Amino acid sequence: NAEFATACEAAGLVFIGPSAASINAMGDKANAKTILTEKSKHVPLIPGYSGNDQRVEKLAAEAE
């Protein structure tokens, strides 16, 4: 929880875990995939459709 990590830091406590920024970044699947695609070439990612058009016809075409 990013809010908890931030509260620990504000209270002068050491939070054992990822930073609040990392938790926020990785908490959104689309954002996480973008970050990993741009910053790390060693993380295997499953290709997929990430467009805004969520119509069944579009998704089916992308699945082909």
Side-chain angles (χ1 to χ4, degrees):
N1 181 304
E3 188 175 321
F4 179 71
T6 300
C8 287
E9 184 179 336
L13 300 172
V14 176
F15 176 72
I16 306 297
S19 68
S22 293
I23 294 170
N24 282 327
M26 295 297 127
D28 176 277
K29 184 168 52 171
N31 187 44
K33 191 167 187 174
T34 298
I35 291 169
L36 291 173
T37 300
E38 293 173 357
K39 307 250 183 209
S40 179
K41 303 301 179 197
H42 305 290
V43 176
L45 298 172
I46 297 171
Y49 173 71
S50 58
N52 291 327
D53 188 348
Q54 297 294 306
R55 292 175 297 124
V56 172
E57 299 82 13
K58 176 63 175 176
L59 298 174
E62 289 294 327
E64 296 294 323

